[in-house]
Amino acid sequence: MSNRLRPLPPAPPLLRLYLAPESTVPRRIDGAWWPRTFDLLAELPPLLSGLPRAWGQIVSVLVNGTAWADAPGRMLVCNQAVRLRRTTTAARTPSTIVLMAPAHGRRDLLVVPPEATERAAETLMSAVGLTPEQGHFAS
């Protein structure tokens, strides 16, 4: 038996999620998400567990199918089955992820490409009307 201390495993990276403030005025984009990869199986669980409770339990997710790696039609996230759907119709629009929760409706998040720089991420968010002064962005 060794008395040497074992190094701690690295902490998981923080969720890069920007949410526009709550408002009674409907908007097209509710926030921005900046995943580290296009692996939906790896990226979706931290996103869903990091969303506000007021958004309800997400049961369905729609993503741009041309950007994300293959994923099954359903996955278990935080002991909840989540249906995954893909679309290829948004070829010329910014990539988004659509989150659906029963009795809470739909939330649309802009997806910032994983390889984007911080400056590029801010530019993309600004283009859809999200500004750092309006909400919170955790990196």
Side-chain angles (χ1 to χ4, degrees), residues 26-134:
R27 68 174 133 264
R28 185 181 164 312
I29 299 291
D30 299 294
W33 174 43
W34 188 5
R36 287 177 167 72
T37 69
F38 277 116
D39 180 353
L40 198 56
L41 293 177
E43 299 290 344
L44 194 58
L47 170 65
L48 296 185
S49 63
L51 295 173
R53 287 181 174 251
W55 284 25
Q57 186 127 22
I58 305 300
V59 298
S60 180
V61 173
L62 175 66
V63 296
N64 180 341
T66 60
W68 294 93
D70 285 338
R74 290 185 187 267
M75 69 184 287
L76 195 62
V77 179
C78 301
N79 292 323
Q80 170 72 29
V82 177
R83 181 175 177 209
L84 304 177
R85 298 181 310 152
R86 303 163 89 66
T87 182
T88 56
T89 60
R92 287 186 282 164
T93 60
S95 184
T96 58
I97 184 168
V98 178
L99 309 170
M100 299 291 296
H104 292 274
R106 167 186 174 150
R107 302 288 180 139
D108 292 43
L109 298 176
L110 170 73
V111 177
V112 176
E115 70 278 1
T117 64
E118 209 167 307
R119 183 178 177 122
E122 288 174 4
T123 301
L124 283 171
M125 289 188 292
S126 180
V128 295
L130 299 171
T131 62
E133 298 81 32
Q134 288 180 315

